[in-house]
Amino acid sequence: NNRHVSVTAKAPKPTVTFDCDADGNAVLTCDIGNRTDLTVSWYKEDKIIQNDKNPQLLLTSAQVQENKP
C-alpha cells in the first residue's frame, strides 16, 4: 500500500527591480527574501533562459533594445 505525502509552503510575492548602466546594459533582480529553498527562473518569450539560484539576470544593451516579453 503506497502512501504519498506532499508538503508545500507558500512562496513570497517576488519584487523585481532593475538597474541600468552607462552602456545601456540592465541588471534585473528578483527579490524573494532570504528563502534559500527557492529557485528563480527567467523566461524570454515563454522560453527559459536562466534557471538557478542566482536572482539576478544581466541583459546586454542589444537584448534590452529587442523589447521582448
Side-chain angles (χ1 to χ4, degrees), residues 8-16 30-40:
T8 58
K10 187 175 180 179
K13 183 176 180 179
T15 302
V16 177
C30 180
D31 183 4
I32 52 174
N34 57 0
R35 292 283 298 274
T36 57
D37 59 321
L38 298 178
T39 299
V40 174

Side-chain angles (χ1 to χ4, degrees), residues 17-28:
T17 57
F18 65 91
D19 292 303
C20 297
D21 63 18
D23 296 324
N25 302 318
V27 176
L28 280 67

Side-chain angles (χ1 to χ4, degrees), residues 1 3-4 6 9 14 17 19 23 26 34 47-49 58 61 63 66 68:
N1 190 3
R3 293 176 187 235
H4 180 78
S6 178
T17 57
D19 292 303
D23 296 324
N34 57 0
K47 293 179 183 166
I48 193 161
I49 56 174
L58 171 65
S61 58
Q63 289 173 307
E66 286 178 0
K68 293 183 178 178

